[in-house]
Structure formats: C-alpha cells, structure tokens
Amino acid sequence: MQQAPADEAPTGNAPSGPAVADRPGDHWDRKVAQGLAFLRRRLAGDYEVDEFGFDPDLTDAVVHPLVRLLYRDWFRTEVSGIEHVPDEGAGLVVGNHSGTVALDALILSTALHDRHPAHRYLRLLGADLVFRMPVVSEIARKTGGTVACNPDAERLLGNGELVGVFPEGFKGVGKLYADRYKLQRFGRGGFVSAALRTGTPIVPVAIVGGEEIYPMLADIKPLARLLKLPYFPVTPTFPWLGPLGMVPLPSKWLIEFCPPIPTAHLRDAADDPLVVFNLADQVRETIQQTLHKLLERRPDPFGP
C-alpha cells in the first residue's frame, strides 16, 4: 500500500459520508499527541538504531520536520525527476555541492524522503571533519550519515540502501559566489568504484538555489588555517551581523534527479582507472548540463 506523503498525516480508512473539517485546535492537538508519543518511545527505548548509528525515529520526528520548514516554506523547493530514484534496492545519488554551509545535503535527503512514493531515506556520505565536530557528528550519525569511504559506501549499497554523495566536497561548498554553479573537480572517482563493485545504478542530481543562501564574497585563509577549517567565509551578512548572519537568504530552489546510469555491466572494471574516470566525467557533465537548464528555468534567484 502506498504511504501518505511525509508532510501529510495518513488518513487511514475514511468513513463514508461528507467530510468533516478539522476544528481550529485539531492540528495542534495532533502535534502534541505526536510529541508525547515520541517522548514515550524515547523513554521506553522503543526505537531502533542500525550499525551506523542511524535513528529513523529521531529523523522522522525531529530532523525532517525542521528541515521541511526550510525546503518547503523558506526555499519553496520544486523537485522533478523523482521517478528516476529506485523504488527499492541500492542507488547512488550524486549531487553538486554548494552554499558555504552545506544545507543542500539536508534539503536533498528530506525532499527525497517526502516526495518519493516509498519515502526512502538517503544515507549521506560526509567528510572526516563532519564526524570530528561535537554535536554535528551526532546529528549526522543519527540521520543516517557516515564517513565518505568506500568500505562504508559499499556496505550500505550492498544492504540495498540509497546512498548520497557530493564528490566536490569542501571545494564545492567553499567556492566563491563568482564561481557559482561551476562544478569543481570530482576527486579520484571513489564513488564510481563503489557503484561498480556493487553494480549499483548512479543517479545524478542537480541542485539550484544553494549558491545564493550565503554568497561567499571572500575567504580569509589565514583565519581558516588558525581555526583548522577548510575556509573562513565572508558573506554580505557574515560576520558583520554576528549570529543573524547565519540566517540563509530565501533563494528559490530547484532539484532535478536525472535518469540513472547503469553500472552492473561494468562490475569487472571497478579497478580500471580509465573506466572510473570516464564514468565520473559522464556524471559530472550530466549534472553540469542539468544545472544550466535549471538556471534558465529560474532567471530570478529569489523569485516565487
């Protein structure tokens, strides 16, 4: 049976007869009841965590509702091509990275979960730095993330999971606004090797909107080195406005999933550098061309 969208309450078997409108307080009554039920489950230990630390109960009850406010109401996100994401079994979702602060990963995973008919979770691969930061590391693990290394990626894909990766890494997140929507180098193509070894289809995804939330005008490299950060951004609002400078600008977002690229016929070539490079280049070019198309659809970065 198809599930109700994640941002709507399931209706179950509706009784016959005319529909009865909710009373004004019904919405909040449901919210309070859901919150109390969540607290009961946490106190009773009635929830599951997998070997990577993924906690679906916490993700559904706390993280997705918060991110949903951003992607649906603040960024007015439009999602297309969701039919290209497998309904079941493994898939490697490869996207462009941007935004100074990597909100695109959270937006992508929540939007995919909400819009996909099977409400699938996206298991994100993150840089080592993410898992060395207090609080951030815990949130990343609880929401299904793990370190971006081939053994973990292959285990997840072998378990039939959807795995999300951003091959540009910090080079994409930390690029200047002048270089917006110009894809950076895809590294050594480790994500391709993981897909080839497991015969997993690769689903390129293009994300427009992230570049405008914190436009990076400059990078103070000496301060970044002092703080052991990949970059220290200067934006129109940060650091001038202090904590207020962390409020993202309300850009219009478009996310498009592209047709999957099969890899099952290339499993024996997982260690062939030429095959890996060519496939990584194909994925990169697909994302870049789709970005150009989406930008033509969205001439005003802050339009409706």
Side-chain angles (χ1 to χ4, degrees), residues 220-264:
I220 306 178
K221 296 185 184 297
L223 192 51
R225 286 193 293 270
L226 179 65
L227 298 174
K228 298 182 179 179
L229 297 173
Y231 51 87
F232 188 91
V234 176
T235 77
T237 58
F238 182 84
W240 326 113
L241 300 183
L244 285 176
M246 294 301 295
V247 176
L249 298 178
S251 57
K252 170 71 176 180
W253 284 48
L254 302 176
I255 298 176
E256 181 166 333
F257 295 92
C258 305
I261 300 171
T263 67

Side-chain angles (χ1 to χ4, degrees), residues 180-202:
R180 61 193 179 278
Y181 300 114
K182 297 176 184 176
L183 288 185
Q184 305 300 295
R185 191 170 58 88
F186 265 20
R188 293 173 292 180
F191 71 96
V192 170
S193 298
L196 291 176
R197 287 194 177 90
T198 55
T200 300
I202 299 174

